[in-house]
Amino acid sequence: MQGLKALSKLLRIVAPFILLFLLIIGLGKRHGPLPALGNFLHPFRGVWVPPDDELKRLDQIAKIPGLIAPVTVKFDRNRIPHVFAQNDDDLYAVQGFLVAMDRLFQMEFMVRAGNGRLSEVLGSKTIDLDIMFNRLGMREAAVESFELMQRDELTRKALLAYSRGVNAFIATINDRDLPFEYKLLEVKPIAWEPVNSAVIQKVMAYNLTFWPQDLLLSRSRSRISEEDFLALFPANPDVDEPIVPKDTKFSFTPSAPTPPPTEFQASTNAILPVPTPHPGNGSNNWAVGPKKSKTGYPIVSNDIHLSLQLPSYWYEMQLTTPKVNTYGGTLPGAPGIILGFNEKVSWAVTNGMDDITDWFELKFRDENKYEYLYGGTWRPVVARDREILVRDSKPITITLRRTHFGPIVNEETETPVNPLIARGLAMRWGALTPSNELKTFLSLNRAKSFKDCKQAIETYQSPSQNFICADQSGEYGIIHQGQLPVRWMGQGRLISDGTDPLYDWNSGYISNDQLPKLIKPARGYVLSANQPATGKDYPHYLPGMYDNSFRARRIKEMLDEKAKFSPEDLIEMQADSLIIVARDIVPVLLKSLPTETKWSRLEDAALEQ
C-alpha cells in the first residue's frame, strides 16, 4: 500500500513535466496544413515579431555586391519608392532589392507555379497544378526565352543586376525577419535566378492568353448544323467599335494560306462539358491628341484590370539614372517599368485577346502512342519522365510527351485541373515560342519619341497587346502588337486535324507593317477595351476571345462628348460605371411586361431599380 502511494505521489510530480515535454514536441511538429505552433508563435522569432525597421534595411542597399556608386532611395507620402542611381547596373540591383523587400514571397510563388514546384512547399493539394504547368512546358519555354534575353546586352545586364539585388535582400533575412508567408509554411526563401524573370513572363502569358475557345466551339459545332453554328458563332463577325475604325482602308493584300477542302470533324471526347464563364476581367486604354487636350499635349489613360489578388500584380515606383527617368508600374520579379511614362513619352497597354492556342487531334500508330501521323509520315512522340517533389509525402513521377506542335498536356484518361485543357490532344501555344518581351519595356523606358516607342514595340511577341504611345511633340497612336500566325478563314477556331499540314502554322506570322494600328486619327483620339482590333475588311483573319464592344462604345461616347479634355477629365472617365448593355436592354425588357398587372411592393421596388 505504501508503495502505491509513493508511486502515485511520484506520478503527480512527474506528470506535469511529461506533459510539458510532450507539448514541446507537439508544438515543434507540423500538423497537416498547420505550421509547428512552437516556431510560429515563438516570442523572439515568431509571427508576431516585426521585421527590422525599414530604414535599417535600406542601409543594407549600400552593401549590395557589385554596387558601383552610391544610390539614393526616397519614399513619398504614399510609400512609393523613387530610386536615383548613376548607372543602369546599380539601378536594377536596387530595384530588385526594394521589390523583394515588399514582395519576395509573391515573386517566389509565381516562379514556383510556372516551374511546377508548388507542391514542394504546399504539399499534395497542388499536385494537379504542378502536373499541368510541367506538361505545358512553361519552364522549358522560359529557359529558351532567357537564352534569347542573354544575347541582348540591355536585357542581359538588367536581369543579372536585378537578380543580384534580390539575392542581396535575401541575404539580409534571418529567422526573425522572414515574411509572414515563410513563417506560416516553415520554409526559407530560395536564391533568385535571372531566368526567374522569364518564368514570370510566361505565367503572365498564361493568365492573358490561355482561353482555348476552340474546345468549346467544337462541342457546339458537333451538336448543331453548320448553318446554325455560323449564325451563332460567325468566324469574322462585324463589330460596332473596333480599335481601328470600320471605314479604314488597308493598302496591302496578303497571300492567304490554302484551307482544307472539307471541314474536319473532331471527336469531342477530349472536351470536358464544364461551364466556363468569363472571369469578368477587362482592361481599357485611351488617349486624346493635342487638338482634344486642354494642355496642348496628348493625354494617355491606362485602366488596367487583372484578376483581383493580394498583393496586387503591380508595384509602383520611379527609376532614374542620367540616361533613364521613368515612372509607373513594374511587375514584381522583372526589371524596369512595364506601364508608365518618362520625360518624353507615355505608353499604356491592354490585352489584345488574340487566340494563339490551337489544339490538334492526333492519329497514333498503335496503342503505345509513340508515333503520330503527319503529312503521310509517322513522327516520334518525344517522351521523358519528370519527378515532382511533394512536401510531407513521396515524390511522384509523370511522363511529359511532346509533338512538333507542342505538348500533350493531359492523357485521355486524366481529368485536367483546368477544364479548358483538352485530353489527349496536342497543343500549339504561341507563348511557348522563345521571345524577349523585356527588351520592349526596357526600350520604352528609354524612348525619346513616338518613333522610338514604335521601334521598341516591334520586338514584342506574346501575349498580344494594344500599345498606346504618345510623345511631347504631339505624336500618338495605338498598335495591336504580337506574334500572330497567318491563318486561313476559320483556322484554329475548332479542334484541328493533326494529320494534315494545312491546319498547321506553316504560313509565318503577320508582319509588323500589316498589324492593325491607328496613328494620329482625325477624330482626335484612340481607344481599346479588349474588343476586336479591326472590322470585317481587315485582310488577315484574327480569331480571339475578344470582349464585346460595349465598354469601347461607352469610352467613345465620353470622348465624343467634349471638345477638349484635361487629365482630371480622363481620371473621371476611369470611374464611369454606366453599362451600355443595360441601357440598351432594360427598356426592351420593360416594354415586354404586362401593362395592367398589379405588382407587389417587392416587384415595384425591383422595377424602380
Side-chain angles (χ1 to χ4, degrees):
M1 195 68 177
Q2 291 294 327
L4 288 174
K5 287 183 177 180
L7 180 60
S8 176
K9 185 176 181 180
L10 178 62
L11 286 174
R12 285 198 298 271
I13 296 172
V14 174
F17 295 98
I18 294 175
L19 291 174
L20 179 62
F21 177 73
L22 293 175
L23 181 63
I24 292 173
I25 292 177
L27 290 175
K29 291 184 177 181
R30 291 178 60 87
H31 301 278
L34 297 176
L37 294 178
N39 296 328
F40 190 65
L41 303 175
H42 195 284
F44 301 117
R45 59 174 185 270
V47 66
W48 44 41
V49 180
D52 274 337
D53 179 77
E54 192 168 78
L55 292 177
K56 184 177 179 181
R57 288 183 162 203
L58 292 176
D59 289 341
Q60 300 296 319
I61 287 177
K63 300 177 183 178
I64 294 176
L67 214 61
I68 300 169
V71 178
T72 301
V73 177
K74 299 287 187 182
F75 288 92
D76 62 26
R77 62 183 180 181
N78 294 318
R79 203 202 165 277
I80 295 168
H82 302 255
V83 184
F84 302 90
Q86 299 178 39
N87 59 78
D88 286 356
D89 277 5
D90 290 352
L91 181 72
Y92 296 125
V94 173
Q95 182 189 15
F97 185 100
L98 290 171
V99 177
M101 187 170 74
D102 290 333
R103 303 286 190 88
L104 181 62
F105 183 79
Q106 178 189 19
M107 293 160 61
E108 182 176 328
F109 186 88
M110 290 183 72
V111 171
R112 283 189 175 276
N115 285 337
R117 293 180 54 189
L118 287 173
S119 301
E120 290 182 20
V121 295
L122 298 179
S124 58
K125 289 188 176 182
T126 54
I127 287 176
D128 288 342
L129 279 173
D130 282 348
I131 291 174
M132 179 187 74
F133 280 115
N134 273 287
R135 287 201 174 139
L136 281 174
M138 302 276 276
R139 173 70 181 185
E140 290 79 4
V143 169
E144 291 177 355
S145 292
F146 178 64
E147 291 172 355
L148 196 63
M149 294 174 183
Q150 285 185 302
R151 294 198 287 271
D152 181 86
E153 184 178 12
L154 180 62
T155 53
R156 178 178 60 83
K157 287 186 173 182
L159 288 170
L160 292 174
Y162 190 90
S163 181
R164 194 169 69 249
V166 174
N167 285 323
F169 172 74
I170 292 174
T172 69
I173 300 175
N174 54 34
D175 289 345
R176 177 184 184 276
D177 294 328
L178 278 172
F180 167 80
E181 299 90 345
Y182 291 99
K183 291 181 178 180
L184 184 65
L185 295 171
E186 293 189 305
V187 294
K188 297 291 180 67
I190 58 176
W192 188 262
E193 302 176 46
V195 70
N196 289 355
S197 298
V199 175
I200 287 176
Q201 191 277 320
K202 297 302 179 186
V203 172
M204 289 300 294
Y206 175 84
N207 291 335
L208 294 174
T209 69
F210 206 78
W211 311 301
Q213 63 171 350
D214 29 351
L215 305 181
L216 303 181
L217 288 174
S218 293
R219 177 172 286 279
S220 297
R221 176 65 186 94
S222 70
R223 283 156 171 74
I224 59 178
S225 69
E226 182 178 7
E227 181 182 1
D228 288 344
F229 178 77
L230 292 176
L232 289 169
F233 310 106
N236 194 22
D238 200 13
V239 291
D240 294 328
E241 186 59 38
I243 294 170
V244 178
K246 289 194 284 187
D247 58 359
T248 301
K249 304 299 181 185
F250 298 96
S251 59
F252 62 89
T253 304
S255 56
T258 303
T262 58
E263 182 185 75
F264 174 63
Q265 298 294 324
S267 167
T268 57
N269 294 331
I271 310 166
L272 289 178
V274 177
T276 52
H278 192 279
N281 298 333
S283 297
N284 316 309
N285 63 354
W286 61 89
V288 295
K291 292 182 180 179
K292 284 185 74 72
S293 168
K294 291 180 181 178
T295 68
Y297 296 98
I299 310 174
V300 178
S301 167
N302 205 174
D303 191 5
I304 319 150
H305 306 171
L306 290 171
S307 300
L308 186 63
Q309 69 170 41
L310 189 68
S312 162
Y313 276 106
W314 303 106
Y315 185 97
E316 193 172 346
M317 66 191 314
Q318 179 183 2
L319 302 175
T320 303
T321 70
K323 295 182 179 180
V324 181
N325 185 10
T326 184
Y327 182 102
T330 183
L331 188 65
I337 297 296
I338 306 299
L339 308 159
F341 60 92
N342 59 34
E343 293 172 310
K344 302 290 184 181
V345 169
S346 177
W347 65 97
V349 182
T350 68
N351 196 11
M353 309 297 286
D354 297 288
D355 179 12
I356 57 169
T357 309
D358 284 0
W359 294 90
F360 295 85
E361 187 171 295
L362 304 176
K363 181 178 180 180
F364 293 103
R365 189 163 194 164
D366 53 38
E367 61 182 14
N368 293 320
K369 299 181 180 180
Y370 292 146
E371 293 179 293
Y372 63 100
L373 186 65
Y374 178 79
T377 62
W378 295 102
R379 293 195 173 194
V381 174
V382 178
R384 68 185 187 280
D385 289 341
R386 174 162 296 174
E387 185 179 72
I388 297 177
L389 301 179
V390 184
R391 182 170 187 166
D392 300 329
S393 185
K394 293 181 179 179
I396 67 167
T397 300
I398 62 171
T399 299
L400 310 180
R401 300 201 299 149
R402 192 175 186 88
T403 67
H404 83 279
F405 298 113
I408 300 172
V409 187
N410 284 286
E411 300 299 332
E412 293 176 348
T413 57
E414 293 179 324
T415 301
V417 62
N418 182 342
L420 288 180
I421 295 180
R423 295 178 290 189
L425 302 185
M427 179 193 74
R428 180 150 193 182
W429 180 30
L432 296 182
T433 304
S435 57
N436 185 1
E437 284 71 32
L438 181 60
K439 180 178 175 64
T440 291
F441 296 111
L442 294 181
S443 299
L444 285 171
N445 293 180
R446 292 159 172 73
K448 305 296 184 188
S449 65
F450 180 80
K451 181 181 178 182
D452 291 346
C453 188
K454 190 169 177 290
Q455 287 178 339
I457 292 169
E458 287 177 352
T459 64
Y460 183 91
Q461 290 183 211
S462 178
S464 64
Q465 299 287 301
N466 299 306
F467 283 89
I468 286 179
C469 276
D471 69 13
Q472 280 189 334
S473 74
E475 293 293 319
Y476 72 101
I478 186 169
I479 301 171
H480 186 77
Q481 180 72 33
Q483 190 179 66
L484 306 176
V486 176
R487 306 174 188 254
W488 40 265
M489 181 62 67
Q491 182 179 353
R493 291 188 77 217
L494 306 176
I495 293 173
S496 298
D497 183 358
T499 70
D500 189 345
L502 290 178
Y503 287 85
D504 210 343
W505 295 5
N506 293 323
S507 300
Y509 299 94
I510 301 174
S511 60
N512 282 326
D513 63 314
Q514 295 183 3
L515 286 169
K517 58 182 68 66
L518 185 62
I519 310 300
K520 211 171 183 181
R523 67 185 185 181
Y525 60 82
V526 294
L527 66 95
S528 79
N530 309 125
Q531 80 272 38
T534 65
K536 295 178 70 172
D537 294 332
Y538 179 61
H540 287 287
Y541 170 57
L542 287 183
M545 286 288 286
Y546 305 114
D547 205 353
N548 58 53
S549 58
F550 292 117
R551 287 185 293 122
R553 282 173 54 195
R554 178 57 184 158
I555 295 169
K556 184 178 187 301
E557 278 185 355
M558 291 188 287
L559 291 174
D560 285 337
E561 285 173 357
K562 293 184 178 182
K564 290 184 180 290
F565 289 81
S566 67
E568 290 74 21
D569 291 330
L570 267 62
I571 291 172
E572 187 177 344
M573 284 177 61
Q574 288 185 336
D576 178 78
S577 60
L578 189 148
I579 303 170
I580 280 188
V581 66
R583 189 181 67 189
D584 291 349
I585 290 175
V586 167
V588 178
L589 296 176
L590 292 177
K591 284 181 181 179
S592 71
L593 293 174
T595 56
E596 298 179 357
T597 302
K598 185 176 172 119
W599 305 108
S600 69
R601 186 183 306 175
L602 180 62
E603 288 166 337
D604 275 334
L607 285 171
E608 181 63 25
Q609 287 288 335

